[in-house]
Amino acid sequence: MEPTTGLILRRITQTELSVSAHKLATVILDAIAWKDGFNGLPRGTAAFTLTDLAAKMGISRQYLTELLSELAASGLKLRREKPNGKFAPWLFRFAAFETEAASRDVESATGDRSLSIEKNNKTIFFGQITIGADSNVFQTVWADAINSAKGALPCWNVDTQLIWDRFIAFNRARGNDKVPAGFLLGFMRRWRTSLGPAPLPEAPSRPPRVLEPKEQELLDRIKAAPTSNREFHASDLCRLIGEAAYEARILQVIRDFGCPRFSASLAVHGQAVLAGEIER
């Protein structure tokens, strides 16, 4: 007999579990797909990230892990697997209710004999895909196959049309006119969850600006004395020539070069170093 929501709910109620484990089992049950392809999931499974599941329960991730272990050891035999990379959600199922089901073939409605088969919880694509001019996946036989398979793959939350567009572009770039349908499934299994931003074109390099003679002279003076020692330079120079003379030199540089006071003081220090009045 095929499991139903009512059957599993009665079993959950009758199973000896903690209150929180009962609640968690019910949350998972509510999300189970009872038809292949519903929400893009295989029949009898529910998909959650642990973060989302913990949020739904209002509990910590650590406590969630304990509850999942309790359900796994119980008569419900909760099983979870994550075969498609860390960015795909976990797939949950109650193994206690699994029955041997005949493999269901999904045959395309056109004459290309393309097939998508769900067998032992593994999806297999059969047939050939022509890399043609079709830009709308929903005008092909592959939209349903993509929707059915992607729920357990890294591209679970990616739009079906986007998956198709990138698959077509990928093969066109390699000069493929026709590929086995399995290539599409493999492309989905290796989906890159983050392609990153496109590299920005480098700005054309500009030639360095040629300094005016006065600008270059001021810069040469400033470079002669390390900026990090400016307080020592000011103290040494004031002690040597006096504060009034030191101030007069700064004002003179401001008049000569039209620069800010800070730059003028550095230039005065550098000139004193070049003249041997103070040490560098």
PDB file of all heavy atoms in Angstrom, residues 7-18 21-26 28-29 32 67-79 92-98:
ATOM      1  N   LEU A   7      -1.702   8.175   6.944  1.00  0.00           N
ATOM      2  CA  LEU A   7      -1.066   6.983   7.484  1.00  0.00           C
ATOM      3  C   LEU A   7       0.184   7.340   8.284  1.00  0.00           C
ATOM      4  O   LEU A   7       0.393   6.879   9.411  1.00  0.00           O
ATOM      5  CB  LEU A   7      -0.716   6.027   6.349  1.00  0.00           C
ATOM      6  CG  LEU A   7       0.105   4.783   6.731  1.00  0.00           C
ATOM      7  CD1 LEU A   7      -0.692   3.898   7.680  1.00  0.00           C
ATOM      8  CD2 LEU A   7       0.526   4.008   5.498  1.00  0.00           C
ATOM      9  N   ILE A   8       1.027   8.188   7.689  1.00  0.00           N
ATOM     10  CA  ILE A   8       2.266   8.563   8.375  1.00  0.00           C
ATOM     11  C   ILE A   8       1.968   9.401   9.606  1.00  0.00           C
ATOM     12  O   ILE A   8       2.606   9.248  10.648  1.00  0.00           O
ATOM     13  CB  ILE A   8       3.203   9.311   7.415  1.00  0.00           C
ATOM     14  CG1 ILE A   8       3.607   8.407   6.255  1.00  0.00           C
ATOM     15  CG2 ILE A   8       4.450   9.799   8.131  1.00  0.00           C
ATOM     16  CD1 ILE A   8       4.550   9.054   5.258  1.00  0.00           C
ATOM     17  N   LEU A   9       0.980  10.282   9.510  1.00  0.00           N
ATOM     18  CA  LEU A   9       0.633  11.116  10.663  1.00  0.00           C
ATOM     19  C   LEU A   9       0.174  10.248  11.828  1.00  0.00           C
ATOM     20  O   LEU A   9       0.538  10.499  12.983  1.00  0.00           O
ATOM     21  CB  LEU A   9      -0.446  12.125  10.266  1.00  0.00           C
ATOM     22  CG  LEU A   9      -0.836  13.146  11.343  1.00  0.00           C
ATOM     23  CD1 LEU A   9       0.376  13.943  11.792  1.00  0.00           C
ATOM     24  CD2 LEU A   9      -1.922  14.078  10.817  1.00  0.00           C
ATOM     25  N   ARG A  10      -0.635   9.210  11.547  1.00  0.00           N
ATOM     26  CA  ARG A  10      -1.064   8.303  12.621  1.00  0.00           C
ATOM     27  C   ARG A  10       0.129   7.576  13.225  1.00  0.00           C
ATOM     28  O   ARG A  10       0.226   7.402  14.440  1.00  0.00           O
ATOM     29  CB  ARG A  10      -2.092   7.301  12.078  1.00  0.00           C
ATOM     30  CG  ARG A  10      -3.471   7.894  11.828  1.00  0.00           C
ATOM     31  CD  ARG A  10      -4.514   6.806  11.657  1.00  0.00           C
ATOM     32  NE  ARG A  10      -4.219   5.946  10.510  1.00  0.00           N
ATOM     33  CZ  ARG A  10      -4.624   6.217   9.274  1.00  0.00           C
ATOM     34  NH1 ARG A  10      -5.319   7.314   9.021  1.00  0.00           N
ATOM     35  NH2 ARG A  10      -4.325   5.394   8.277  1.00  0.00           N
ATOM     36  N   ARG A  11       1.059   7.175  12.360  1.00  0.00           N
ATOM     37  CA  ARG A  11       2.251   6.470  12.846  1.00  0.00           C
ATOM     38  C   ARG A  11       3.112   7.394  13.703  1.00  0.00           C
ATOM     39  O   ARG A  11       3.681   6.967  14.714  1.00  0.00           O
ATOM     40  CB  ARG A  11       3.045   5.940  11.659  1.00  0.00           C
ATOM     41  CG  ARG A  11       4.273   5.133  12.013  1.00  0.00           C
ATOM     42  CD  ARG A  11       3.910   3.763  12.581  1.00  0.00           C
ATOM     43  NE  ARG A  11       5.108   2.953  12.699  1.00  0.00           N
ATOM     44  CZ  ARG A  11       5.592   2.193  11.722  1.00  0.00           C
ATOM     45  NH1 ARG A  11       4.951   2.128  10.551  1.00  0.00           N
ATOM     46  NH2 ARG A  11       6.684   1.484  11.896  1.00  0.00           N
ATOM     47  N   ILE A  12       3.220   8.655  13.281  1.00  0.00           N
ATOM     48  CA  ILE A  12       3.985   9.628  14.074  1.00  0.00           C
ATOM     49  C   ILE A  12       3.366   9.783  15.452  1.00  0.00           C
ATOM     50  O   ILE A  12       4.049   9.802  16.481  1.00  0.00           O
ATOM     51  CB  ILE A  12       4.050  10.987  13.345  1.00  0.00           C
ATOM     52  CG1 ILE A  12       4.931  10.887  12.091  1.00  0.00           C
ATOM     53  CG2 ILE A  12       4.577  12.076  14.263  1.00  0.00           C
ATOM     54  CD1 ILE A  12       4.925  12.127  11.231  1.00  0.00           C
ATOM     55  N   THR A  13       2.033   9.888  15.476  1.00  0.00           N
ATOM     56  CA  THR A  13       1.329  10.061  16.749  1.00  0.00           C
ATOM     57  C   THR A  13       1.529   8.859  17.665  1.00  0.00           C
ATOM     58  O   THR A  13       1.666   8.998  18.888  1.00  0.00           O
ATOM     59  CB  THR A  13      -0.170  10.273  16.493  1.00  0.00           C
ATOM     60  OG1 THR A  13      -0.339  11.388  15.599  1.00  0.00           O
ATOM     61  CG2 THR A  13      -0.913  10.559  17.778  1.00  0.00           C
ATOM     62  N   GLN A  14       1.581   7.667  17.074  1.00  0.00           N
ATOM     63  CA  GLN A  14       1.693   6.444  17.869  1.00  0.00           C
ATOM     64  C   GLN A  14       3.135   6.126  18.273  1.00  0.00           C
ATOM     65  O   GLN A  14       3.361   5.324  19.190  1.00  0.00           O
ATOM     66  CB  GLN A  14       1.118   5.267  17.079  1.00  0.00           C
ATOM     67  CG  GLN A  14      -0.374   5.399  16.801  1.00  0.00           C
ATOM     68  CD  GLN A  14      -0.868   4.404  15.764  1.00  0.00           C
ATOM     69  OE1 GLN A  14      -0.089   3.598  15.255  1.00  0.00           O
ATOM     70  NE2 GLN A  14      -2.162   4.463  15.449  1.00  0.00           N
ATOM     71  N   THR A  15       4.102   6.741  17.599  1.00  0.00           N
ATOM     72  CA  THR A  15       5.507   6.450  17.891  1.00  0.00           C
ATOM     73  C   THR A  15       5.938   7.198  19.145  1.00  0.00           C
ATOM     74  O   THR A  15       5.598   8.367  19.346  1.00  0.00           O
ATOM     75  CB  THR A  15       6.399   6.870  16.712  1.00  0.00           C
ATOM     76  OG1 THR A  15       5.975   6.181  15.534  1.00  0.00           O
ATOM     77  CG2 THR A  15       7.859   6.529  16.979  1.00  0.00           C
ATOM     78  N   GLU A  16       6.693   6.506  19.986  1.00  0.00           N
ATOM     79  CA  GLU A  16       7.161   7.117  21.230  1.00  0.00           C
ATOM     80  C   GLU A  16       8.320   8.057  20.927  1.00  0.00           C
ATOM     81  O   GLU A  16       9.434   7.644  20.599  1.00  0.00           O
ATOM     82  CB  GLU A  16       7.616   6.025  22.206  1.00  0.00           C
ATOM     83  CG  GLU A  16       7.989   6.583  23.577  1.00  0.00           C
ATOM     84  CD  GLU A  16       8.316   5.475  24.571  1.00  0.00           C
ATOM     85  OE1 GLU A  16       8.025   4.302  24.276  1.00  0.00           O
ATOM     86  OE2 GLU A  16       8.870   5.806  25.629  1.00  0.00           O
ATOM     87  N   LEU A  17       8.042   9.353  21.001  1.00  0.00           N
ATOM     88  CA  LEU A  17       9.018  10.396  20.696  1.00  0.00           C
ATOM     89  C   LEU A  17       8.849  11.545  21.668  1.00  0.00           C
ATOM     90  O   LEU A  17       7.809  11.672  22.321  1.00  0.00           O
ATOM     91  CB  LEU A  17       8.820  10.926  19.271  1.00  0.00           C
ATOM     92  CG  LEU A  17       9.028   9.965  18.096  1.00  0.00           C
ATOM     93  CD1 LEU A  17       8.479  10.586  16.819  1.00  0.00           C
ATOM     94  CD2 LEU A  17      10.500   9.635  17.927  1.00  0.00           C
ATOM     95  N   SER A  18       9.866  12.386  21.752  1.00  0.00           N
ATOM     96  CA  SER A  18       9.733  13.610  22.527  1.00  0.00           C
ATOM     97  C   SER A  18       8.753  14.541  21.820  1.00  0.00           C
ATOM     98  O   SER A  18       8.477  14.390  20.622  1.00  0.00           O
ATOM     99  CB  SER A  18      11.086  14.303  22.682  1.00  0.00           C
ATOM    100  OG  SER A  18      11.573  14.726  21.424  1.00  0.00           O
ATOM    101  N   ALA A  21      10.353  16.199  18.871  1.00  0.00           N
ATOM    102  CA  ALA A  21      10.566  15.290  17.751  1.00  0.00           C
ATOM    103  C   ALA A  21       9.262  15.046  17.002  1.00  0.00           C
ATOM    104  O   ALA A  21       9.253  14.929  15.771  1.00  0.00           O
ATOM    105  CB  ALA A  21      11.158  13.976  18.247  1.00  0.00           C
ATOM    106  N   HIS A  22       8.140  14.933  17.735  1.00  0.00           N
ATOM    107  CA  HIS A  22       6.833  14.815  17.081  1.00  0.00           C
ATOM    108  C   HIS A  22       6.572  16.022  16.178  1.00  0.00           C
ATOM    109  O   HIS A  22       6.119  15.891  15.036  1.00  0.00           O
ATOM    110  CB  HIS A  22       5.724  14.715  18.133  1.00  0.00           C
ATOM    111  CG  HIS A  22       5.477  13.319  18.620  1.00  0.00           C
ATOM    112  ND1 HIS A  22       5.623  12.951  19.931  1.00  0.00           N
ATOM    113  CD2 HIS A  22       5.098  12.201  17.958  1.00  0.00           C
ATOM    114  CE1 HIS A  22       5.336  11.665  20.065  1.00  0.00           C
ATOM    115  NE2 HIS A  22       5.021  11.185  18.880  1.00  0.00           N
ATOM    116  N   LYS A  23       6.864  17.200  16.708  1.00  0.00           N
ATOM    117  CA  LYS A  23       6.628  18.425  15.937  1.00  0.00           C
ATOM    118  C   LYS A  23       7.514  18.455  14.690  1.00  0.00           C
ATOM    119  O   LYS A  23       7.052  18.795  13.592  1.00  0.00           O
ATOM    120  CB  LYS A  23       6.912  19.649  16.809  1.00  0.00           C
ATOM    121  CG  LYS A  23       6.699  20.976  16.078  1.00  0.00           C
ATOM    122  CD  LYS A  23       7.001  22.156  16.985  1.00  0.00           C
ATOM    123  CE  LYS A  23       6.848  23.470  16.221  1.00  0.00           C
ATOM    124  NZ  LYS A  23       7.188  24.643  17.064  1.00  0.00           N
ATOM    125  N   LEU A  24       8.786  18.082  14.849  1.00  0.00           N
ATOM    126  CA  LEU A  24       9.701  18.080  13.713  1.00  0.00           C
ATOM    127  C   LEU A  24       9.239  17.096  12.639  1.00  0.00           C
ATOM    128  O   LEU A  24       9.268  17.399  11.444  1.00  0.00           O
ATOM    129  CB  LEU A  24      11.115  17.715  14.185  1.00  0.00           C
ATOM    130  CG  LEU A  24      12.185  17.587  13.092  1.00  0.00           C
ATOM    131  CD1 LEU A  24      12.321  18.878  12.300  1.00  0.00           C
ATOM    132  CD2 LEU A  24      13.531  17.201  13.707  1.00  0.00           C
ATOM    133  N   ALA A  25       8.804  15.906  13.049  1.00  0.00           N
ATOM    134  CA  ALA A  25       8.327  14.916  12.091  1.00  0.00           C
ATOM    135  C   ALA A  25       7.133  15.454  11.313  1.00  0.00           C
ATOM    136  O   ALA A  25       7.001  15.224  10.107  1.00  0.00           O
ATOM    137  CB  ALA A  25       7.960  13.622  12.811  1.00  0.00           C
ATOM    138  N   THR A  26       6.270  16.200  11.981  1.00  0.00           N
ATOM    139  CA  THR A  26       5.096  16.768  11.321  1.00  0.00           C
ATOM    140  C   THR A  26       5.490  17.842  10.317  1.00  0.00           C
ATOM    141  O   THR A  26       4.921  17.924   9.215  1.00  0.00           O
ATOM    142  CB  THR A  26       4.141  17.362  12.368  1.00  0.00           C
ATOM    143  OG1 THR A  26       3.786  16.355  13.319  1.00  0.00           O
ATOM    144  CG2 THR A  26       2.876  17.891  11.720  1.00  0.00           C
ATOM    145  N   ILE A  28       8.299  18.023   8.658  1.00  0.00           N
ATOM    146  CA  ILE A  28       8.866  17.338   7.490  1.00  0.00           C
ATOM    147  C   ILE A  28       7.755  16.688   6.666  1.00  0.00           C
ATOM    148  O   ILE A  28       7.749  16.745   5.434  1.00  0.00           O
ATOM    149  CB  ILE A  28       9.901  16.294   7.932  1.00  0.00           C
ATOM    150  CG1 ILE A  28      11.100  16.987   8.590  1.00  0.00           C
ATOM    151  CG2 ILE A  28      10.357  15.432   6.762  1.00  0.00           C
ATOM    152  CD1 ILE A  28      12.100  16.037   9.211  1.00  0.00           C
ATOM    153  N   LEU A  29       6.802  16.074   7.349  1.00  0.00           N
ATOM    154  CA  LEU A  29       5.688  15.425   6.657  1.00  0.00           C
ATOM    155  C   LEU A  29       4.919  16.410   5.798  1.00  0.00           C
ATOM    156  O   LEU A  29       4.526  16.103   4.667  1.00  0.00           O
ATOM    157  CB  LEU A  29       4.756  14.767   7.684  1.00  0.00           C
ATOM    158  CG  LEU A  29       3.459  14.158   7.141  1.00  0.00           C
ATOM    159  CD1 LEU A  29       3.772  13.021   6.172  1.00  0.00           C
ATOM    160  CD2 LEU A  29       2.584  13.663   8.286  1.00  0.00           C
ATOM    161  N   ILE A  32       6.508  16.915   2.338  1.00  0.00           N
ATOM    162  CA  ILE A  32       6.814  15.770   1.474  1.00  0.00           C
ATOM    163  C   ILE A  32       6.030  15.842   0.164  1.00  0.00           C
ATOM    164  O   ILE A  32       4.853  16.199   0.145  1.00  0.00           O
ATOM    165  CB  ILE A  32       6.512  14.446   2.214  1.00  0.00           C
ATOM    166  CG1 ILE A  32       7.633  14.143   3.215  1.00  0.00           C
ATOM    167  CG2 ILE A  32       6.381  13.278   1.241  1.00  0.00           C
ATOM    168  CD1 ILE A  32       7.449  12.847   3.975  1.00  0.00           C
ATOM    169  N   LEU A  67      17.352  16.133  17.497  1.00  0.00           N
ATOM    170  CA  LEU A  67      16.005  15.659  17.153  1.00  0.00           C
ATOM    171  C   LEU A  67      16.036  14.788  15.894  1.00  0.00           C
ATOM    172  O   LEU A  67      15.323  13.783  15.807  1.00  0.00           O
ATOM    173  CB  LEU A  67      15.069  16.847  16.948  1.00  0.00           C
ATOM    174  CG  LEU A  67      14.771  17.700  18.181  1.00  0.00           C
ATOM    175  CD1 LEU A  67      13.847  18.851  17.817  1.00  0.00           C
ATOM    176  CD2 LEU A  67      14.156  16.855  19.294  1.00  0.00           C
ATOM    177  N   LEU A  68      16.861  15.168  14.929  1.00  0.00           N
ATOM    178  CA  LEU A  68      16.972  14.358  13.718  1.00  0.00           C
ATOM    179  C   LEU A  68      17.531  12.977  14.035  1.00  0.00           C
ATOM    180  O   LEU A  68      17.099  11.971  13.461  1.00  0.00           O
ATOM    181  CB  LEU A  68      17.871  15.064  12.696  1.00  0.00           C
ATOM    182  CG  LEU A  68      17.294  16.340  12.056  1.00  0.00           C
ATOM    183  CD1 LEU A  68      18.341  17.037  11.200  1.00  0.00           C
ATOM    184  CD2 LEU A  68      16.055  16.033  11.231  1.00  0.00           C
ATOM    185  N   SER A  69      18.466  12.923  14.963  1.00  0.00           N
ATOM    186  CA  SER A  69      19.015  11.625  15.375  1.00  0.00           C
ATOM    187  C   SER A  69      17.947  10.785  16.070  1.00  0.00           C
ATOM    188  O   SER A  69      17.879   9.558  15.877  1.00  0.00           O
ATOM    189  CB  SER A  69      20.208  11.838  16.319  1.00  0.00           C
ATOM    190  OG  SER A  69      21.250  12.523  15.655  1.00  0.00           O
ATOM    191  N   GLU A  70      17.099  11.443  16.863  1.00  0.00           N
ATOM    192  CA  GLU A  70      16.018  10.732  17.540  1.00  0.00           C
ATOM    193  C   GLU A  70      15.042  10.139  16.523  1.00  0.00           C
ATOM    194  O   GLU A  70      14.624   8.974  16.651  1.00  0.00           O
ATOM    195  CB  GLU A  70      15.279  11.680  18.486  1.00  0.00           C
ATOM    196  CG  GLU A  70      14.143  11.006  19.253  1.00  0.00           C
ATOM    197  CD  GLU A  70      13.407  11.967  20.181  1.00  0.00           C
ATOM    198  OE1 GLU A  70      13.874  13.111  20.349  1.00  0.00           O
ATOM    199  OE2 GLU A  70      12.356  11.574  20.730  1.00  0.00           O
ATOM    200  N   LEU A  71      14.693  10.906  15.502  1.00  0.00           N
ATOM    201  CA  LEU A  71      13.778  10.407  14.479  1.00  0.00           C
ATOM    202  C   LEU A  71      14.417   9.295  13.649  1.00  0.00           C
ATOM    203  O   LEU A  71      13.744   8.350  13.232  1.00  0.00           O
ATOM    204  CB  LEU A  71      13.342  11.555  13.566  1.00  0.00           C
ATOM    205  CG  LEU A  71      12.408  12.596  14.184  1.00  0.00           C
ATOM    206  CD1 LEU A  71      12.140  13.724  13.200  1.00  0.00           C
ATOM    207  CD2 LEU A  71      11.101  11.959  14.640  1.00  0.00           C
ATOM    208  N   ALA A  72      15.724   9.405  13.411  1.00  0.00           N
ATOM    209  CA  ALA A  72      16.414   8.370  12.632  1.00  0.00           C
ATOM    210  C   ALA A  72      16.436   7.040  13.382  1.00  0.00           C
ATOM    211  O   ALA A  72      16.333   5.965  12.774  1.00  0.00           O
ATOM    212  CB  ALA A  72      17.840   8.820  12.325  1.00  0.00           C
ATOM    213  N   ALA A  73      16.529   7.098  14.715  1.00  0.00           N
ATOM    214  CA  ALA A  73      16.602   5.874  15.514  1.00  0.00           C
ATOM    215  C   ALA A  73      15.223   5.321  15.855  1.00  0.00           C
ATOM    216  O   ALA A  73      15.110   4.195  16.349  1.00  0.00           O
ATOM    217  CB  ALA A  73      17.382   6.148  16.800  1.00  0.00           C
ATOM    218  N   SER A  74      14.191   6.088  15.557  1.00  0.00           N
ATOM    219  CA  SER A  74      12.833   5.667  15.911  1.00  0.00           C
ATOM    220  C   SER A  74      12.263   4.731  14.850  1.00  0.00           C
ATOM    221  O   SER A  74      12.892   4.448  13.830  1.00  0.00           O
ATOM    222  CB  SER A  74      11.929   6.895  16.049  1.00  0.00           C
ATOM    223  OG  SER A  74      11.658   7.446  14.762  1.00  0.00           O
ATOM    224  N   GLY A  75      11.041   4.291  15.077  1.00  0.00           N
ATOM    225  CA  GLY A  75      10.368   3.421  14.127  1.00  0.00           C
ATOM    226  C   GLY A  75      10.025   4.108  12.818  1.00  0.00           C
ATOM    227  O   GLY A  75       9.694   3.446  11.839  1.00  0.00           O
ATOM    228  N   LEU A  76      10.112   5.434  12.790  1.00  0.00           N
ATOM    229  CA  LEU A  76       9.831   6.160  11.552  1.00  0.00           C
ATOM    230  C   LEU A  76      10.996   6.064  10.574  1.00  0.00           C
ATOM    231  O   LEU A  76      10.825   6.268   9.376  1.00  0.00           O
ATOM    232  CB  LEU A  76       9.548   7.632  11.869  1.00  0.00           C
ATOM    233  CG  LEU A  76       8.355   7.901  12.786  1.00  0.00           C
ATOM    234  CD1 LEU A  76       8.262   9.384  13.107  1.00  0.00           C
ATOM    235  CD2 LEU A  76       7.064   7.407  12.163  1.00  0.00           C
ATOM    236  N   LYS A  77      12.191   5.803  11.112  1.00  0.00           N
ATOM    237  CA  LYS A  77      13.399   5.635  10.292  1.00  0.00           C
ATOM    238  C   LYS A  77      13.613   6.823   9.348  1.00  0.00           C
ATOM    239  O   LYS A  77      13.706   6.664   8.130  1.00  0.00           O
ATOM    240  CB  LYS A  77      13.336   4.343   9.484  1.00  0.00           C
ATOM    241  CG  LYS A  77      13.274   3.090  10.344  1.00  0.00           C
ATOM    242  CD  LYS A  77      13.230   1.849   9.469  1.00  0.00           C
ATOM    243  CE  LYS A  77      13.136   0.581  10.329  1.00  0.00           C
ATOM    244  NZ  LYS A  77      13.053  -0.647   9.489  1.00  0.00           N
ATOM    245  N   LEU A  78      13.682   8.011   9.932  1.00  0.00           N
ATOM    246  CA  LEU A  78      13.938   9.195   9.107  1.00  0.00           C
ATOM    247  C   LEU A  78      15.335   9.105   8.503  1.00  0.00           C
ATOM    248  O   LEU A  78      16.306   8.843   9.194  1.00  0.00           O
ATOM    249  CB  LEU A  78      13.835  10.473   9.952  1.00  0.00           C
ATOM    250  CG  LEU A  78      14.108  11.772   9.198  1.00  0.00           C
ATOM    251  CD1 LEU A  78      13.008  12.055   8.189  1.00  0.00           C
ATOM    252  CD2 LEU A  78      14.264  12.942  10.158  1.00  0.00           C
ATOM    253  N   ARG A  79      15.413   9.295   7.204  1.00  0.00           N
ATOM    254  CA  ARG A  79      16.694   9.273   6.515  1.00  0.00           C
ATOM    255  C   ARG A  79      16.899  10.615   5.828  1.00  0.00           C
ATOM    256  O   ARG A  79      15.967  11.223   5.330  1.00  0.00           O
ATOM    257  CB  ARG A  79      16.737   8.152   5.472  1.00  0.00           C
ATOM    258  CG  ARG A  79      16.543   6.766   6.062  1.00  0.00           C
ATOM    259  CD  ARG A  79      17.756   6.335   6.888  1.00  0.00           C
ATOM    260  NE  ARG A  79      17.597   5.004   7.437  1.00  0.00           N
ATOM    261  CZ  ARG A  79      17.152   4.744   8.665  1.00  0.00           C
ATOM    262  NH1 ARG A  79      16.834   5.751   9.471  1.00  0.00           N
ATOM    263  NH2 ARG A  79      17.035   3.498   9.085  1.00  0.00           N
ATOM    264  N   PHE A  92      14.896  14.646   2.867  1.00  0.00           N
ATOM    265  CA  PHE A  92      14.419  13.838   3.986  1.00  0.00           C
ATOM    266  C   PHE A  92      13.340  12.870   3.501  1.00  0.00           C
ATOM    267  O   PHE A  92      12.522  13.217   2.642  1.00  0.00           O
ATOM    268  CB  PHE A  92      13.823  14.737   5.079  1.00  0.00           C
ATOM    269  CG  PHE A  92      14.818  15.669   5.712  1.00  0.00           C
ATOM    270  CD1 PHE A  92      15.071  16.916   5.173  1.00  0.00           C
ATOM    271  CD2 PHE A  92      15.509  15.295   6.861  1.00  0.00           C
ATOM    272  CE1 PHE A  92      15.988  17.779   5.760  1.00  0.00           C
ATOM    273  CE2 PHE A  92      16.423  16.149   7.455  1.00  0.00           C
ATOM    274  CZ  PHE A  92      16.666  17.392   6.898  1.00  0.00           C
ATOM    275  N   ARG A  93      13.328  11.662   4.059  1.00  0.00           N
ATOM    276  CA  ARG A  93      12.278  10.679   3.750  1.00  0.00           C
ATOM    277  C   ARG A  93      12.104   9.767   4.949  1.00  0.00           C
ATOM    278  O   ARG A  93      13.034   9.558   5.745  1.00  0.00           O
ATOM    279  CB  ARG A  93      12.653   9.856   2.515  1.00  0.00           C
ATOM    280  CG  ARG A  93      13.970   9.118   2.636  1.00  0.00           C
ATOM    281  CD  ARG A  93      14.423   8.504   1.319  1.00  0.00           C
ATOM    282  NE  ARG A  93      15.758   7.930   1.412  1.00  0.00           N
ATOM    283  CZ  ARG A  93      16.032   6.721   1.862  1.00  0.00           C
ATOM    284  NH1 ARG A  93      15.028   5.929   2.234  1.00  0.00           N
ATOM    285  NH2 ARG A  93      17.275   6.277   1.942  1.00  0.00           N
ATOM    286  N   PHE A  94      10.899   9.226   5.103  1.00  0.00           N
ATOM    287  CA  PHE A  94      10.610   8.262   6.154  1.00  0.00           C
ATOM    288  C   PHE A  94      10.754   6.862   5.554  1.00  0.00           C
ATOM    289  O   PHE A  94       9.853   6.364   4.874  1.00  0.00           O
ATOM    290  CB  PHE A  94       9.205   8.481   6.711  1.00  0.00           C
ATOM    291  CG  PHE A  94       9.055   9.769   7.482  1.00  0.00           C
ATOM    292  CD1 PHE A  94       8.378  10.847   6.942  1.00  0.00           C
ATOM    293  CD2 PHE A  94       9.598   9.883   8.751  1.00  0.00           C
ATOM    294  CE1 PHE A  94       8.244  12.030   7.653  1.00  0.00           C
ATOM    295  CE2 PHE A  94       9.463  11.063   9.467  1.00  0.00           C
ATOM    296  CZ  PHE A  94       8.792  12.137   8.921  1.00  0.00           C
ATOM    297  N   ALA A  95      11.894   6.231   5.825  1.00  0.00           N
ATOM    298  CA  ALA A  95      12.191   4.941   5.195  1.00  0.00           C
ATOM    299  C   ALA A  95      11.231   3.848   5.645  1.00  0.00           C
ATOM    300  O   ALA A  95      11.054   2.847   4.941  1.00  0.00           O
ATOM    301  CB  ALA A  95      13.633   4.538   5.516  1.00  0.00           C
ATOM    302  N   ALA A  96      10.590   4.010   6.786  1.00  0.00           N
ATOM    303  CA  ALA A  96       9.682   2.982   7.295  1.00  0.00           C
ATOM    304  C   ALA A  96       8.489   2.785   6.374  1.00  0.00           C
ATOM    305  O   ALA A  96       7.835   1.739   6.406  1.00  0.00           O
ATOM    306  CB  ALA A  96       9.215   3.345   8.693  1.00  0.00           C
ATOM    307  N   PHE A  97       8.193   3.771   5.535  1.00  0.00           N
ATOM    308  CA  PHE A  97       6.994   3.697   4.701  1.00  0.00           C
ATOM    309  C   PHE A  97       7.316   3.472   3.230  1.00  0.00           C
ATOM    310  O   PHE A  97       6.428   3.542   2.381  1.00  0.00           O
ATOM    311  CB  PHE A  97       6.192   4.998   4.853  1.00  0.00           C
ATOM    312  CG  PHE A  97       5.784   5.276   6.267  1.00  0.00           C
ATOM    313  CD1 PHE A  97       6.553   6.103   7.072  1.00  0.00           C
ATOM    314  CD2 PHE A  97       4.652   4.699   6.816  1.00  0.00           C
ATOM    315  CE1 PHE A  97       6.193   6.362   8.369  1.00  0.00           C
ATOM    316  CE2 PHE A  97       4.287   4.954   8.126  1.00  0.00           C
ATOM    317  CZ  PHE A  97       5.065   5.788   8.912  1.00  0.00           C
ATOM    318  N   GLU A  98       8.572   3.250   2.943  1.00  0.00           N
ATOM    319  CA  GLU A  98       8.927   3.074   1.545  1.00  0.00           C
ATOM    320  C   GLU A  98       8.433   1.725   1.024  1.00  0.00           C
ATOM    321  O   GLU A  98       8.490   0.714   1.708  1.00  0.00           O
ATOM    322  CB  GLU A  98      10.446   3.166   1.370  1.00  0.00           C
ATOM    323  CG  GLU A  98      10.975   4.577   1.591  1.00  0.00           C
ATOM    324  CD  GLU A  98      12.475   4.648   1.390  1.00  0.00           C
ATOM    325  OE1 GLU A  98      13.101   3.580   1.301  1.00  0.00           O
ATOM    326  OE2 GLU A  98      13.002   5.768   1.337  1.00  0.00           O
TER     327      GLU A  98
END
